[in-house]
Each structure stands twice: as structure tokens, then as C-alpha cells.
Amino acid sequence: MITVLFETVIGLLFLFAGGELLVRGAVALAHRLRIQPALIGLTVVAWGTSLPEMFASLEAALTGSPGIAIGNVIGSNIANILLVGGLAAVVATVTFERGLLKWDGLAVAAASLLYVVFAMTTGRIAPWMAGPFLAGLIGYTVFGYWRERQDRKTAELHAREAEEFDTHWPLWANLLAVAGGLLGVIFGAQFLVTGAVGIAQSLGIPETVIGLTLVAVGTSLPELATSLVAARRGHGDVAIANILGSNFFNLLGILGIVGLVAPIPIGPEIVRFDNWVLLAATLLFVLLMFRGRRLSRSLGGLFLIAYALYIGSLAAGL
């Protein structure tokens, strides 16, 4: 048991550190190539912070642990909204301009609905799903870039996202950060999945539950760190955009790639319960984007209570 716990902790550390280095190095290189800061925020940052989830889910799918693979994605999205969003609001009331994030919110809601419909009708992530999932990801990215060219406020928002990760390291350090970060997330995913499977076997806990909880929270650490720092600096819109961008990529990017590389079944327990928690949390979060201008500390506390109740329901079902 000590060995698998050690592997899990090492995996989490490698994933977190590797993800941070990879994104920071990639953002700096993109700046050197004179790529627009808004585009960097929309692509490098939005996709890069989800790399720990992607590598962990791919590793799990390729090594025969589908419960961890799908549980990681769904659990990460739930954790991003209720845990990360809740903690960010508790640390500092998150303020944002009403309507600024409406398109990102609608995209995440649409992606969540698409996934839930496919999950209910097929019960698996199949190769043919990769087409609509990845097309949706690329299509919305292109639309987002076009929208930024028309809307100065949206462009400024994604530029601030890029600034959160900007560094002033020399070129060799940025290249080293990208290479080291990539190796970190690869090895971290291997350690984490091996440790998570070992914990599940040792304690007799279903792998799906481990994926929805331990693995999901662990791979969401980059989003947690980014959102907390942004909230503390008064950049509430960046904190929210980080959550929405990560959830969008998790659903369409990761599930699309997993479906193409290593198709996996979706456990019936996820179809019956966790998917509906995901959909309810997502729609509530998006509704708040439309109706309000802030996430208060009290609302953040309610989010954390809701996440605790969700984890408690999983524990009660063991």
C-alpha cells in the first residue's frame, strides 16, 4: 500500500510541475514568435492546463483502466466548477463583466449536452465520436479567434490569461521548460495511473470512483493554482475563463483523442449519476455567467458544500 501511495504522490507532483513548466515555456515561446497574446490565451493556455488530464486519461485507457480514464474527465470538470470555482470565490470574491464569457459558457454547456447524449445512447467513447468532438473543439477555437478580432474586451481577457503564465526566461530556458514539462506530464501520468489502480485494488474501491475523485482532483491542480492566483490578483474573469476553457477541452479534446486512440466504455454508474451532476453543475455555472457579475464568498461556500456532498455520495455508494 505504501508503494502505490508513493507512486500516486510522485505522479501528482510530476503532473503538476510538468504541466506548469510546459505551459509557461510554451507561452513564452509563443510570445517570442510574436503570436497575438489573445490567441495564446485562447489556445496554449486553455489547452495546456488540461494536459495533465489528457495524459492521465490516455495512459489509463491504453493500460486497460477505462473507469479511471472517463472518471478523470468527468470528475475533473465537476471539480473545476464546484471545487476550483468555490475555492477561488472563497479566497476573493470573483468579479467579471456580465456577458463577457457568454460564448465560452454556451460552448461548455453545448459540449456537456453533446457528451451526455452520446453517453446515454451509446454507453461508450467510440472512434466515430472523435470527428464531431475534435471538429467542435477546432471550430470553436477558430470562432473564438474571429470573435476576439471583433471584440476588444474578449481579446483583452484572453491576453490577461496569457500574462498569468508569461515568463522572461532566456530562450534556452523556455525550450528546456517545454521539453522537461512534456516529460513530466508523461511520466507523471504513468505513475499516477499505476498508483491509482493499486489503491483501488488494495482498498477494493472501483477504479471509476478513484478516477472521479483522487485522479480528477490531482489533474485539476493546475486549474486550481491558476484560478486562485488570478482571483487573488483581482482577475476574476481570468479565473472563470480558465475553468470554462479547461472543461471545454476536457470534453471535446480529451474524449475526442481517447475515442480515436483507445475507445473505452462509459460505466453505467457514470451514466446514471455522475453525468447528471456534471450537467447540473455546468448549467448552473453558465447561468451565473449570464445573470451575475460576481461569485461571492457565500456562493463559493455553497459550491464547496455541493462538492463535499457529491464526494460523500460516492463514498456512500461504495
Side-chain angles (χ1 to χ4, degrees):
M1 186 63 180
I2 295 178
T3 301
V4 295
L5 285 174
F6 178 75
E7 288 177 328
T8 302
V9 172
I10 291 297
L12 290 173
L13 291 174
F14 267 87
L15 278 175
F16 178 72
E20 279 286 304
L21 281 175
L22 182 56
V23 174
R24 290 184 182 279
V27 167
L29 289 177
H31 277 299
R32 284 179 175 272
L33 294 173
R34 300 188 184 281
I35 297 174
Q36 294 182 21
L39 184 59
I40 297 172
L42 185 66
T43 56
V44 178
V45 174
W47 297 1
T49 53
S50 289
L51 286 178
E53 286 97 333
M54 185 181 77
F55 278 96
S57 287
L58 269 177
E59 175 69 19
L62 291 170
T63 54
S65 297
I68 290 179
I70 188 68
N72 175 42
V73 173
I74 306 309
S76 289
N77 277 26
I78 295 171
N80 282 345
I81 294 173
L82 299 180
L83 179 61
V84 176
L87 284 173
V90 168
V91 167
T93 296
V94 175
T95 58
F96 51 90
E97 184 175 339
R98 180 184 294 172
L100 179 62
L101 295 160
K102 64 179 181 180
W103 287 108
D104 292 343
L106 287 173
V108 173
S112 301
L113 284 168
L114 178 66
Y115 157 72
V116 169
V117 169
F118 280 169
M120 289 178 61
T121 54
T122 67
R124 65 196 311 264
I125 301 298
W128 67 267
M129 294 180 189
F133 278 22
L134 295 177
L137 175 65
I138 295 171
Y140 185 72
T141 301
V142 173
F143 168 74
Y145 180 60
W146 172 85
R147 181 165 52 91
E148 287 177 350
R149 295 177 67 87
Q150 313 299 318
D151 186 348
R152 177 179 56 83
K153 290 183 178 180
T154 302
E156 290 174 351
L157 163 62
H158 289 295
R160 285 195 298 274
E161 276 193 282
E163 289 173 4
E164 295 291 334
F165 288 92
D166 197 10
T167 64
H168 300 284
W169 302 335
L171 178 60
W172 66 267
N174 291 323
L175 292 172
L176 187 62
V178 171
L182 184 60
L183 289 175
V185 292
I186 291 174
F187 285 117
Q190 293 175 343
F191 277 110
L192 177 60
V193 171
T194 300
V197 171
I199 290 174
Q201 293 174 345
S202 299
L203 300 178
I205 299 174
E207 289 184 2
T208 301
V209 174
I210 294 295
L212 287 163
T213 54
L214 174 63
V215 177
V217 172
T219 55
S220 292
L221 290 177
E223 286 85 0
L224 176 61
T226 302
S227 294
L228 287 180
V229 170
R232 290 281 294 179
R233 292 176 177 174
H235 299 163
D237 50 359
V238 173
I240 300 298
N242 175 58
I243 292 171
L244 293 174
S246 176
N247 281 18
F248 186 70
F249 183 83
N250 286 352
L251 288 170
L252 298 189
I254 296 177
L255 293 184
I257 292 170
V258 168
L260 193 63
V261 175
I264 57 172
I266 302 172
E269 64 277 13
I270 289 182
V271 175
R272 288 194 306 266
F273 178 64
D274 303 284
N275 281 352
W276 298 109
V277 175
L278 166 67
L279 193 57
T282 300
L283 295 179
L284 173 61
F285 197 61
V286 172
L287 180 63
L288 291 171
M289 299 303 100
F290 279 86
R291 294 183 60 86
R293 292 189 177 93
R294 67 189 188 120
L295 295 180
S296 64
R297 284 188 166 91
S298 58
L299 188 56
L302 291 176
F303 274 30
L304 294 178
I305 291 172
Y307 189 69
L309 291 173
Y310 169 66
I311 296 298
S313 68
L314 293 179
L318 294 177

